[in-house]
Amino acid sequence: VSVGYTLTGDSNQIAYNNVGYGSIGAGYALTNTVSATLAYDIRGKATDSADTFQEVSLETIWQVNDSCKASALVAAGLTDAAPDWTAGITAGISF
């Protein structure tokens, strides 16, 4: 669970709103090296005419070895302010 609040400045053309945001999720270890995480994210309206941002995502993480991991993520937008879907992959090395 995470919550926060962003103070946003305005531009000369657009008045932006300060927005609250939050996330809730859960993870599950499928094996000793593979886990999955399901999360729901929400953010307030960036402008008065915008919609709130809501998204649900599923991520799978592979711990390759003690210093390397990789992950794949897919997400679906639940409102017009969020993309219909997104996908991504990451790789990380710890030193």
Side-chain angles (χ1 to χ4, degrees):
V1 173
S2 67
V3 295
Y5 193 76
T6 300
L7 301 174
T8 307
D10 294 329
S11 74
N12 292 334
Q13 292 84 22
I14 300 172
Y16 292 103
N17 296 327
N18 297 330
V19 294
Y21 59 89
S23 179
I24 188 167
Y28 183 76
L30 301 170
T31 69
N32 288 341
T33 58
V34 179
S35 60
T37 303
L38 180 66
Y40 169 76
D41 298 300
I42 186 169
R43 283 193 299 262
K45 294 178 172 189
T47 65
D48 290 338
S49 63
D51 201 359
T52 58
F53 176 99
Q54 295 181 52
E55 179 179 75
V56 63
S57 62
L58 177 63
E59 183 175 24
T60 303
I61 302 143
W62 296 273
Q63 189 68 43
V64 179
N65 58 38
D66 288 342
S67 61
C68 297
K69 69 178 179 178
S71 67
L73 177 130
V74 293
L78 305 175
T79 61
D80 289 338
D84 291 337
W85 65 273
T86 57
I89 57 172
T90 61
I93 298 173
S94 301
F95 296 99

